[in-house]
Amino acid sequence: MKANMTEPENKQDNDLREIPTWARRYAENRTLPMLVFFGIFVVGSAAFGGLSYLTAWAYVTGHRALAVAAMLVLCGFAAWWMWFSFVGGQRIMRRITARLYRSEGTVSVGPAAEPDIWRKSPAVGFVFMFCVIASVGLGLLGVLPIRYMQPISALYFVPFCVYLGITQRGTGSPFMSLWPTLYGIHAILLVAGAPIYFGGKWEALNMLIPVIGYGVLAALAGHIYSRVALHRLRMLAASPEIPDETGAQEQ
Amino acid sequence: MTELDADVHQPTRLRILMLLSGVDSADFNFLRTTLGLSKGNLSAHTSRLEEAGYVEITKGFNGKIPNTSYCLTELGRSRLAAYWQALEEIRSSGGTPPS
């Protein structure tokens, strides 16, 4: 305790000095939009899978008109999905973020218009997309065994996340680093022969759990921490209603 | 005798400045709900901080909704640091800061 300071003075000073730390912690960990993004991703993937199944079923059972219609819808959906992933998604996510946090207001810890990966490092974005398409394609062709899809994807997914973490340092939730960490650990365990492989009709879970499950877990941890940070921040910053001594009246 | 900056020393304004020092920018709604202030009170204090050059106010739109955001200027940041230093000097010399 500093000399000549009373206990209440010391506490008040410490509380005030903690405000910037908790404000930053809260702002960094507003990960609710990530949860929405994962939700959109799951619904989109399910719709894609459903339409693909419908197209194949209609073709095999001889419902040609239905097969053509389903194929057209599938192509339209695929085009929208590409647009959402690379162009319009960011704008939509910004609107969703503003709506989700309307009651709490807007706060940022990074530049107002953070450029996305396609403008900032297009080469990295293209290499990542190439790796995704190549590994999925090889998996569908049967060249790449499903068992090794997740460990192989970890070879580019983890470095990509680390790259994003470094380039956006200080603007994102530290909890989101849980995602590539768990993804990497999952890959190592799978290669080491740990009994975490899903067979038969549950095979899709081998990718869904690491991609969606760990991502949701990381975003959820960030969101919960943001609630704690906001609670703490409001306690520290709660201000007595002292009018400005210039005489300004309430509007 | 070390003087305290009156624009910073006022409790509500000190909280506004401390809050803004931890982030890049924050909007009116965030400051109001976090500090638990009425619209008029917050508006009066932020106007005074803007007049002093400690806070920069940007008016824009969040979608179609008007939005006012605030960020701490370099001057505001340095005055805030100077305020804490002055406060420590007063206390270490055995004095009491004005309430």
Side-chain angles (χ1 to χ4, degrees), chain B residues 7-66:
Chain B
D7 285 328
V8 180
H9 186 56
Q10 200 278 345
T12 304
R13 285 198 289 274
L14 179 57
R15 281 166 173 79
I16 294 170
L17 292 172
M18 288 303 284
L19 216 159
L20 290 175
S21 72
V23 296
D24 275 21
S25 68
D27 75 354
F28 186 85
N29 199 20
F30 177 73
L31 290 178
R32 190 181 63 76
T33 53
T34 307
L35 296 164
L37 295 169
S38 64
K39 288 180 182 178
N41 204 323
L42 176 61
S43 192
H45 285 297
T46 50
S47 295
R48 175 135 180 194
L49 288 169
E50 188 195 24
E51 281 165 24
Y54 297 173
V55 163
E56 191 181 305
I57 300 178
T58 310
K59 289 185 188 288
F61 284 87
N62 208 345
K64 289 177 181 173
I65 303 162

Side-chain angles (χ1 to χ4, degrees), chain A residues 67-87:
Chain A
V68 171
M71 177 64 92
L72 287 173
V73 174
L74 186 64
C75 288
F77 184 76
W80 181 84
W81 193 243
M82 293 291 277
W83 172 85
F84 176 80
S85 303
F86 301 127
V87 185

